[in-house]
Amino acid sequence: MNPFQLKNGQLHVESVSLSDIARRFGTPCYVYSRAALEASLDEFQRELVGLDALVCYAVKANSNLAVLNVFARRGAGFDIVSGGELKRAMAAGADPKKIVFSGVGKSADEMALALDIGILCFNVESEAELERLNEVAGQKGKRAPISLRVNPNVDAKTHPYISTGLKENKFGVAYEEAVNLYRRAANLPHIEVEGIDCHIGSQLLDASPFAEALEKVLQLVDEIEAAGIRLRHIDLGGGLGIRYKDEKAPAVQTYLEPLLRALNDRKLKILLEPGRRLVGNAGVLLTRVEYLKPGEVKNFAIVDAAMNDLARPALYDAWHDIVPVAPGGGKHLDWEIVGPICESSDFLGHGRPLCLEAGDLLAVMSAGAYGMAMSSNYNTRPRAAEVMVDGERCHVVRRREVVDELFAAESVLP
Ligand SMILES: *Cc1c(COP(=O)(O)O)cnc(C)c1O
């Protein structure tokens, strides 16, 4: 479903025009569609009907409480990577028994918090982490439920910064060491082996690396079970891609069907950790053109959103479609869409053929994932407001920051 449609010459989100949102809440502003969030979760849940399965939304993609709450209400669990995300998920109404905790650097305090809350599973990424978790759980007189995140050494064929399943990546335990580490885990007094986990990368546009990873993980499952260790679940991670430009992102069914087939006769609960796929196309970044600066070599459109609001273009050279909210007049040129930050990497798009006038509103599309979540206050810029549209209504789900609060925690020397 695409909730972003032109109606009467104006780009709308569901039934609300983006011009209206800009007038009421200002720019830059992230705008999400509740219907799109729900539709993307439903696409997973439809495939899993009748199966013992749980979709754990990867909170890091977009951690706004309202987004988490929309998913929690529909039965989703959460994949978290920090104590902060754990507290967010709880504040948004998550069921702790549906939370898995991933990440290579969990601190003892974060482990303790997650043990107190009673999460479903720790996805452990190294032997050292396993030992520490055993210690922390011991101090509490508890047993920590764990999966080992194994690194299946498959090439996800995605951007190197978001590829995680190769030997050279920092993630997971080496495939060859996994069975031994499971033996170790099974013998630790404060560890309860629960499952097995892998996550091979992000923005995967082809189902085959998933199938390849699963095949390898299932070989391990057999070896682990032959060693007398029972596994209750298999967590296949996230990584399903979306369309930003002209990518052909397969249907969720296309990704899952071969996996579900391979798992068919196994008595393993299935966990998935999609992030981007659930939120990416459900949000836009709304921005206003401040100045036009046509030039000899390049034509700059300076907008009020910047790399601190949306880092993906600067960080990964990512491409986002940029569309006028009210297409019409203005100067037709190839525009560099750039922000006010003092860095040449501060761009949202290069050479975009658009008709523009100062004051025009632009929507940076597919900005729902790794947009606001990666934003910063660089250049002491208050972070954007976030608005969620629900049919004809819109709700501010994070108010715009004000400058004074950006340095309220700082102090000068006596
Ligand atoms: C980032 C991450 C995800 C989500 O990845 P997407 O590409 O957004 O689906 C899932 N699991 C783990 C462990 C991650 O680090």
Side-chain angles (χ1 to χ4, degrees):
M1 87 164 282
N2 183 4
F4 301 96
Q5 305 277 357
L6 272 178
K7 293 176 197 166
N8 311 321
Q10 287 272 340
L11 189 61
H12 282 61
V13 186
E14 301 189 29
S15 303
V16 182
S17 87
L18 283 167
S19 308
D20 246 20
I21 291 178
R23 192 164 25 101
R24 288 176 59 192
F25 309 112
T27 54
C29 178
Y30 276 96
V31 185
Y32 310 122
S33 154
R34 178 182 186 170
L37 294 170
E38 293 182 338
S40 58
L41 180 60
D42 288 351
E43 197 188 352
F44 281 86
Q45 293 186 329
R46 266 199 307 277
E47 296 309 311
L48 301 168
V49 169
L51 298 173
D52 188 12
L54 180 64
V55 177
C56 294
Y57 166 62
V59 172
K60 74 175 194 276
N62 183 326
S63 55
N64 184 283
L65 289 193
V67 172
L68 304 184
N69 176 258
V70 162
F71 291 145
R73 287 191 205 202
R74 287 175 109 76
F78 297 96
D79 170 42
I80 56 158
V81 293
S82 70
E85 286 191 355
L86 177 53
K87 288 192 171 173
R88 266 184 187 279
M90 295 307 293
D95 174 352
K97 281 288 155 221
K98 293 182 177 174
I99 294 178
V100 298
F101 193 170
S102 302
V104 292
K106 302 173 193 81
S107 71
D109 284 348
E110 289 175 318
M111 290 172 174
L113 177 68
L115 285 165
D116 286 339
I117 288 174
I119 63 167
L120 171 61
C121 195
F122 291 85
N123 291 337
V124 171
E125 304 217 15
S126 66
E127 179 166 12
E129 183 193 338
L130 183 68
E131 303 286 348
R132 184 190 275 183
L133 182 58
N134 179 57
E135 237 170 75
V136 175
Q139 284 157 11
K140 294 190 168 289
K142 294 191 175 174
R143 284 168 78 96
I146 67 116
S147 285
L148 291 182
R149 174 171 174 183
V150 297
N151 184 336
N153 196 27
V154 301
D155 186 355
K157 299 184 189 73
T158 183
H159 190 284
Y161 286 8
I162 50 177
S163 176
T164 59
L166 282 170
K167 276 190 179 174
E168 66 233 46
N169 297 130
K170 70 180 175 182
F171 301 101
V173 302
Y175 189 82
E176 297 72 20
E177 290 159 26
V179 178
N180 274 336
L181 206 49
Y182 266 102
R183 284 206 185 88
R184 175 86 186 115
N187 286 322
L188 287 171
H190 301 291
I191 294 292
E192 175 81 31
V193 173
E194 197 54 50
I196 190 164
D197 169 48
C198 77
H199 170 75
I200 56 175
S202 200
Q203 184 58 7
L204 274 66
L205 292 165
D206 180 355
S208 62
F210 286 101
E212 201 185 320
L214 177 59
E215 195 181 320
K216 294 184 110 178
V217 172
L218 286 179
Q219 281 169 25
L220 271 185
V221 169
D222 291 339
E223 289 178 47
I224 293 161
E225 296 198 327
I229 300 164
R230 211 187 124 217
L231 299 174
R232 295 190 188 87
H233 76 234
I234 182 164
D235 182 337
L236 301 173
L240 288 79
I242 63 169
R243 185 189 189 106
Y244 285 100
K245 189 179 192 180
D246 47 11
E247 302 92 334
K248 292 201 174 52
V252 169
Q253 183 186 28
T254 310
Y255 288 99
L256 291 189
E257 208 262 335
L259 308 181
L260 298 179
R261 200 161 0 99
L263 285 167
N264 180 33
D265 53 348
R266 306 228 177 205
K267 292 204 167 36
L268 286 169
K269 181 181 175 120
I270 302 160
L271 270 55
L272 299 169
E273 301 170 350
R276 187 190 312 269
R277 183 72 184 222
L278 289 182
V279 292
N281 285 330
V284 300
L285 173 59
L286 183 59
T287 182
R288 193 181 288 281
V289 177
E290 291 276 13
Y291 301 104
L292 295 179
K293 204 172 155 184
E296 250 176 58
V297 182
K298 288 196 166 163
N299 307 301
F300 294 97
I302 298 152
V303 300
D304 63 4
M307 65 187 284
N308 74 298
D309 300 299
L310 180 64
R312 297 187 71 258
L315 191 59
Y316 312 116
D317 206 16
W319 193 95
H320 286 262
D321 200 8
I322 300 175
V323 302
V325 164
K331 217 171 164 63
H332 186 94
L333 287 170
D334 285 347
W335 295 101
E336 298 293 305
I337 311 294
V338 300
I341 284 185
C342 305
E343 300 267 351
S344 293
S345 61
D346 181 27
F347 72 96
L348 298 175
H350 290 306
R352 300 303 174 89
L354 290 166
C355 293
L356 290 184
E357 276 177 298
D360 280 359
L361 288 168
L362 296 171
V364 183
M365 305 304 290
S366 307
Y370 305 106
M372 186 65 179
M374 293 178 104
S375 66
S376 78
N377 293 118
Y378 189 38
N379 279 205
T380 306
R381 286 170 51 85
R383 263 174 294 193
E386 291 175 286
V387 168
M388 192 180 293
V389 174
D390 182 8
E392 291 173 354
R393 283 170 304 169
C394 41
H395 306 274
V396 177
V397 293
R398 189 181 204 271
R399 67 160 172 78
R400 185 178 306 286
E401 283 175 341
V402 296
V403 169
D404 286 359
E405 65 192 319
L406 302 190
F407 52 81
E410 298 170 31
S411 47
V412 298
L413 296 187

